[in-house]
Amino acid sequence: MSTHDQHGSGRHGARPTRTRLLATAGAAALLLASGLAAPAAASAAQQSGTAASAQTGDAARAAGGSDDKQGGKVLTVAVAQSVDSLSPFLAVRLLSTSIHRLMYEYLTNYDPKDNHVIPGLATKWQSSPDKLTWTYTIRTDSKWSDGQQATAEDAAWTFNKMMTDDGAATANGSFVTNFAKVTAPSPTQLVIRLKKPQATMTALDVPIVPKHVWEKVGDLSKFNNDKTFPIVGNGPFVLTDYKPDSYVRLKANKDFWRSAPKFDELVFRYYKDQDAAVAALRKGEVSFVAGSPSLTPAQAASLKGDKDIHVNDAPGRRFYALATNPGAQAKDGTKIGDGDPSLLDERVRHALFMAVDRKAIVDKVFQGHAVEGQGYIPPRFSQYFYKPTAAQELAYDPAKAGQLLDQAGYKKNADGKRVGKDGRPLNYRVLCHATDPNDKAVGKYLQEWWGKLGIGVTLNCLDNVTDPWLAGKFDLAFDGWSVNPDPDFVMSIHTCAARPQTPKDTGATDDFICDKTYDELYARQLAEYDPAKRADLVRQMESRLYDLGYMNVMAYPNAVEAYRTDQIKSITTMPSAAGNIYGQDGYWSWWSAIPADSDGSSDGSSSTGVVIGIVVGVVVIAGLAVLFAVRRRATAEDRE
């Protein structure tokens, strides 16, 4: 739901993404970020397709095929996730938030080489000695696609709207809850006053929208920004057309301040069937396949022998987990949904997770394209990565799991079924994503593993898991988020404040967790500017989540994706050494992509990489070392 995919998430998948990042006090540095993933040489003959494409001929061209009757260069990306909203105030899915990065500038961005903070709409920023006032200088060379100048007033309006309108705060409200006042003294000066120090002020992952367009919108909680095209923005692409559950079409912004993209159009085409998307790539109907959010091992293996196709397989920024319904409630105390009450017992939750063989999941489901799960944040973000102690670890131990269930009062009856005091057998409903083959595969293992414990498992695989999830009508659910370098966002979704105000409202919560100890740690890390101390607090939060047992991280999947080298000459991965292409913290992949028939000489680009020269004026109070980040959810359905 980072982006969660809900699967996260965001959801899920959307939910999220963030970045950490550091600045040296009182310094202005010239930063060069370079490095596109060079296409691998294709070898062997094409293998036969795995499935017929669902979209061919005229239908495919209507959705944005790789060829263009007007002669323009079109980059078509096959995705397995649909858009939840084109409003940056509401969207949480990874696809949607990735599109918003292409449409709108954020105050800051993240270097594609190593994720450190660089200028975006703001060219520099400065903190007051008490860290409670932050002043941003807004660039003068960014214009909205309708010709109007982008100014500090647009940023001030965006943040103030989120501070005063619950609908506008739906997706990213956690960034502004600590804001006391936001003003724009001049077109190039934005001033944010805080209630208390906040360690994410160079990582405000919020799309800035044009005030002159959005101030005319009525109810932001219901406005999806999907009726009038083109949509006014100031990013590297302008959204020109959209058909729900079909495609999103964007046109290159020739006036983008950082330089125009090399492809004339970018199209995200939705495939419910991932095998059909792979077949479309093999046929050349699409340029890139993102997966769901990754290709399966079988799909990746089948493509590696194909001519003109490069498979990118790199450590990912996602985690793959099981979330438990903790007795969902709204902030007003009203119960939500119908989660099984047995799951309120920590011993039961621990027993379930001790009966999950993580190694088998990595070896048999992901076939080695993943790392065994431990803490909440993937090992890619080493400073925040957490491993439970030997005494704390819920290691695979079915026998001990059975003992815990006995102790909790859920013993086996004559039929070998676990029953409670009411005599009812335990049978858990598990939400899974119909479009994700990993969910279905792991679900079968759960039926086997938990079945041996005497617990029944009913898999509820749906195209839309968001509705039952938000309604609390599940016992457990497959979850996942794309995590940003800065962990604030993905940690915030487990606070009590993230729950909806009432059952009728929509909150930013992942699975309704509310724990005072966790909340206290969250508040402390948010106000901590020392990188080492903050990282320690984040790891303490992860330890608390682990002990509560509401979240069981099973694996950290690799980013496995593929593109055609006869359509894309080169494209940036993030990080550049070994990173992902789809779902980045930024717009680098699609902005940098060079068409295969291009000489790569325009705008300082080359066939081997894109060099981005950026003067970073970061003015910070002397002695202040800042560590910050981005956060974007993305998750499943990406709750991502």
Side-chain angles (χ1 to χ4, degrees), residues 284-337:
E285 295 173 356
V286 300
S287 312
F288 181 98
V289 172
S292 169
S294 290
L295 297 177
T296 67
Q299 290 166 342
S302 73
L303 290 171
K304 283 183 177 178
D306 281 29
K307 184 176 183 296
D308 297 328
I309 291 180
H310 172 61
V311 176
N312 182 51
D313 187 349
R317 66 201 245 312
R318 295 180 56 81
F319 63 78
Y320 182 69
L322 270 174
T324 303
N325 188 330
Q329 290 186 355
K331 282 189 281 189
D332 65 5
T334 305
K335 179 179 171 60
I336 297 176

Side-chain angles (χ1 to χ4, degrees), residues 412-639:
K412 289 184 177 180
N413 62 14
D415 297 324
K417 305 296 184 182
R418 295 279 176 178
V419 297
K421 294 180 180 179
D422 59 3
R424 294 176 56 190
L426 291 182
N427 186 39
Y428 295 131
R429 301 160 299 163
V430 180
L431 271 179
C432 86
H433 303 81
T435 57
D436 191 337
N438 293 326
D439 284 7
K440 296 176 182 178
V442 175
K444 290 182 179 179
Y445 278 112
L446 293 182
Q447 289 175 325
E448 175 187 341
W449 295 330
W450 293 353
K452 292 179 180 178
L453 286 177
I455 296 173
V457 174
T458 300
L459 291 178
N460 190 14
C461 296
L462 306 172
D463 291 336
N464 172 21
V465 302
T466 300
D467 289 345
W469 194 308
L470 296 179
K473 294 184 177 180
F474 68 100
D475 298 321
L476 296 104
F478 288 101
D479 196 2
W481 285 86
S482 291
V483 178
N484 301 312
D486 185 290
D488 179 72
F489 181 77
V490 292
M491 306 309 289
S492 74
I493 58 179
H494 298 305
T495 60
C496 298
R499 297 174 301 164
Q501 186 61 44
T502 72
K504 295 181 180 180
D505 298 315
T506 298
T509 187
D510 183 14
D511 62 349
F512 301 95
I513 293 174
C514 179
D515 177 70
K516 290 183 179 180
T517 299
Y518 180 89
D519 278 17
E520 290 170 358
L521 290 168
Y522 174 78
R524 288 173 60 192
Q525 69 81 29
L526 184 60
E528 181 56 70
Y529 281 81
D530 182 277
K533 292 180 180 178
R534 181 165 181 244
D536 180 65
L537 288 167
V538 170
R539 289 191 295 269
Q540 289 182 49
M541 294 170 67
E542 294 183 80
S543 178
R544 181 63 179 171
L545 274 182
Y546 191 91
D547 288 342
L548 288 172
Y550 290 122
M551 292 286 297
N552 174 28
V553 177
M554 298 179 288
Y556 310 111
N558 286 4
V560 185
E561 48 204 358
Y563 63 90
R564 295 198 62 91
T565 57
D566 57 351
Q567 294 184 24
I568 302 174
K569 179 183 291 186
S570 61
I571 191 167
T572 299
T573 62
M574 185 177 185
S576 58
N580 53 293
I581 296 172
Y582 176 71
Q584 295 180 354
D585 282 312
Y587 39 63
W588 310 113
S589 54
W590 314 125
W591 171 76
S592 72
I594 296 176
D597 58 354
S598 169
D599 60 10
S601 61
S602 63
D603 299 317
S605 301
S606 72
S607 63
T608 59
V610 171
V611 178
I612 309 161
I614 310 167
V615 176
V616 184
V618 182
V619 183
V620 187
I621 289 308
L624 219 191
V626 194
L627 140 4
F628 312 60
V630 212
R631 64 133 207 118
R632 171 75 270 127
R633 5 212 206 186
T635 156
E637 242 144 6
D638 251 34
R639 210 173 149 140

